[in-house]
Amino acid sequence: MTKEDAIQNVTWDELQIGAAARIERACTVDDLILFAHVTGNVNPLMLPANDGEAIELPMAPSLWVGSLVSAVLGNILPGAGTLYLSQNFRFGARVHPGDILSIQVRCVELREKPVAVFEARVLKADGAIACEGFAEVAAPLQSIISSRSALPALILDHHDHFAKLIARAAMLDPLPTAVVWPDDQNSLAGALLATEHGLIEPVLIGPRKKMIEIAATVGAPFDASWIADAQDHHEACGRAVELTQRGATRAIMKGNVHSDEILAAIVNKHAGMCTERRISHVFAIDAPTLDRLLFISDAAVNIAPDLAAKVDIVQNAIDLARACGIEKPKVGVLSAVETVNVAIPSTLDAAILSKMADRGQIRGGVVDGPLAMDNAVDADAARTKGIASLVAGQADILIAPNIEAGNMLAKELTFVARAEAAGLVLGARIPVMLTSRADNERARLASSALAALYDHWRKTGSAVSEAPQIVSKAAE
């Protein structure tokens, strides 16, 4: 413990009438959310809106304002060892997120040992009194020197990158999309939600009667003219390909059908859907602790890609990241270690991919590898290992060595780290939304936004400008 970290208390014997202390504290939206979690008080006046609508700023609960007094009493005066006995507060001016508060205490009475009484005030920056009154405490009897120990970190959803993507995509005309066999509530509701947000113009390919029945339970706008009847999965996949062949649709969305069935129809040599690129899947991950989207490939299509396949996997991921507004994406090619090891083939592939990007064989991004997961996304880890790189610690794209690693990485982020995931299959003539049956409506909505942005980028060569006034999760 350094001298700067040390905090020494004031015992009852050392206290003097008139002794005072103060701190400053800003009120944030996170304070209100955490206070609601701790107390169970979900009064809507005290919480940000959760529907994205612009409303007046929420106000801080009065007891949150009053609780700030304990930070001065417990940390500074009298400090460590202080126990609250009672308090009597009046609350005046309301506190809102963004307000800077001055919390002040002054000793006004020493009673029978160890009792002391403090006058307390919480002032806003303009001098308005938010809280005033008296606190009675049992002051410490022994000197204690404590450290300014940091509290454990809490994970809050500070960023909502999907909301930005969805808002950008909504600025475009709806993308004509073939939705293959949406005969369950999840897949149909996701397609209808994307339609309601203006992201897609659907052609619902599947059993007409069942889709009409499910639509009645979803509660989203529905038009039976959107339906193209099909008798089975094979016919539905074929119809989707046929619609894109003649330009009636420019994207495909997976419904309640197996991924292999859709991909088989797309790669069929008679379908005309293949390009010179290997098809690959790219996850877009919205993680609550990251200040950027994270793209992961390939976690769903290529099982054990060779070097040639990885070139296309990297290029497809770069193209999608650029379509989402990242001007020059940073690509980290992952392995178990960050140095080339001839016994680990993925490190050799990573080094070659990095050099190919240097020579212009992979375009539009900065590629580096091999990188381990920690030093690809964490700047401190990269510095600790002495890695000098334009990518290390700040990767936008992570390239997995094989499907097992990519799939486990994406699902760990989703199911353990509370990230949200959306994704596309790229490399064909149109983007394919290969959503999982476990995906919720928001994932399907974000996948639709990715498809619309990618379609626009392919047609124009530029990304859609960011939409203004996007509300983050923390401000919803």
Side-chain angles (χ1 to χ4, degrees):
M1 179 171 59
T2 66
K3 184 177 180 180
E4 290 75 17
D5 290 333
I7 308 174
Q8 184 164 358
N9 66 352
V10 178
T11 66
W12 185 90
D13 292 318
E14 296 167 333
L15 265 177
Q16 295 181 3
I17 303 297
R22 66 182 291 274
I23 62 171
E24 280 196 351
R25 173 76 147 78
C27 175
T28 69
V29 168
D30 285 352
D31 291 326
L32 310 192
I33 294 172
L34 289 170
F35 194 78
H37 275 288
V38 171
T39 63
N41 178 6
V42 292
N43 182 344
L45 292 176
M46 314 298 177
L47 287 170
N50 59 11
D51 56 6
E53 295 293 329
I55 62 167
E56 293 183 6
L57 279 175
M59 62 182 70
S62 296
L63 286 184
W64 177 84
V65 177
S67 70
L68 300 178
V69 173
S70 68
V72 188
L73 296 172
N75 292 338
I76 304 175
L77 186 71
T82 300
L83 296 176
Y84 240 114
L85 298 178
S86 69
Q87 65 182 28
N88 183 1
F89 289 161
R90 282 187 68 257
F91 300 97
R94 294 299 178 182
V95 173
H96 302 277
D99 285 343
I100 305 297
L101 304 174
S102 173
I103 303 98
Q104 307 170 2
V105 302
R106 184 173 64 89
C107 182
V108 294
E109 184 180 355
L110 292 173
R111 295 180 180 172
E112 184 177 351
K113 194 173 185 178
V115 178
V117 179
F118 287 83
E119 180 184 54
R121 302 178 86 191
V122 179
L123 304 178
K124 298 177 66 172
D126 61 2
I129 298 174
C131 171
E132 62 180 345
F134 296 90
E136 182 182 9
V137 303
L141 299 179
Q142 295 180 335
S143 293
I144 300 174
I145 298 176
S146 57
S147 63
R148 302 177 189 271
S149 56
L151 291 171
L154 294 174
I155 296 177
L156 294 177
D157 294 341
H158 286 287
H159 307 285
D160 188 355
H161 303 294
F162 281 173
K164 297 178 182 180
L165 289 184
I166 293 165
R168 285 187 185 190
M171 299 166 65
L172 302 170
D173 291 334
L175 180 65
T177 301
V179 186
V180 182
W181 208 262
D183 74 334
D184 68 331
Q185 186 159 355
N186 272 357
S187 56
L188 184 59
L192 296 181
L193 185 65
T195 304
E196 187 177 0
H197 279 72
L199 303 182
I200 69 169
E201 182 182 297
V203 178
L204 306 173
I205 307 172
R208 173 180 292 271
K209 182 179 178 181
K210 188 170 184 181
M211 286 192 288
I212 291 174
E213 290 174 354
I214 294 172
T217 68
V218 170
F222 178 78
D223 190 331
S225 67
W226 296 337
I227 295 176
D229 207 3
Q231 300 305 310
D232 55 37
H233 292 182
H234 180 75
E235 181 185 352
C237 292
R239 289 285 297 276
V241 170
E242 186 269 331
L243 286 169
T244 59
Q245 284 174 330
R246 58 186 176 87
T249 56
R250 298 204 307 272
I252 292 176
M253 177 186 287
K254 173 180 173 290
N256 188 24
V257 62
H258 200 280
S259 301
D260 287 349
E261 295 176 278
I262 289 183
L263 294 179
I266 290 172
V267 301
N268 186 306
K269 63 181 180 180
H270 301 297
M273 300 293 291
C274 293
T275 68
E276 71 281 0
R277 294 257 191 100
R278 174 75 67 95
I279 66 169
S280 63
H281 182 272
V282 184
F283 271 118
I285 303 290
D286 189 352
T289 57
L290 286 180
D291 61 357
R292 62 191 183 278
L293 272 178
L294 191 63
F295 298 86
I296 296 175
S297 190
D298 183 342
V301 174
N302 293 283
I303 296 173
D306 59 15
L307 179 62
K310 287 181 179 179
V311 171
D312 287 343
I313 288 170
V314 172
Q315 190 65 66
N316 287 339
I318 288 173
D319 290 350
L320 180 59
R322 291 180 65 194
C324 292
I326 303 174
E327 187 173 346
K328 199 170 185 67
K330 298 177 177 66
V331 183
V333 188
L334 297 181
S335 185
V337 295
E338 61 279 347
T339 55
V340 174
N341 185 328
V342 294
I344 306 177
S346 61
T347 66
L348 300 176
D349 287 350
I352 295 170
L353 290 168
S354 178
K355 181 52 67 176
M356 290 178 74
D358 290 344
R359 298 291 170 85
Q361 293 171 274
I362 298 172
R363 301 174 302 281
V366 181
V367 182
D368 193 18
L371 292 172
M373 178 64 186
D374 56 349
N375 47 61
V377 298
D378 187 89
D380 288 337
R383 279 193 295 269
T384 299
K385 294 190 176 182
I387 301 174
S389 165
L390 295 174
V391 174
Q394 50 187 334
D396 301 300
I397 299 170
L398 300 177
I399 302 299
N402 52 47
I403 198 170
E404 293 101 327
N407 194 272
M408 285 186 279
L409 173 58
K411 288 182 177 176
E412 185 277 334
L413 288 169
T414 304
F415 291 96
V416 178
R418 296 195 303 110
E420 293 183 309
L424 287 183
V425 171
L426 304 173
R429 297 198 180 279
I430 44 86
V432 180
M433 292 162 254
L434 208 63
T435 51
S436 166
R437 283 168 291 182
D439 286 342
N440 58 25
E441 291 180 357
R442 182 173 171 79
R444 295 173 188 272
L445 190 62
S447 295
S448 300
L450 289 174
L453 294 171
Y454 181 74
D455 177 75
H456 173 82
W457 182 82
R458 287 192 64 180
K459 289 190 302 181
T460 67
S462 62
V464 180
S465 299
E466 185 170 345
Q469 297 180 339
I470 302 303
V471 180
S472 70
K473 283 182 186 176
E476 288 181 351

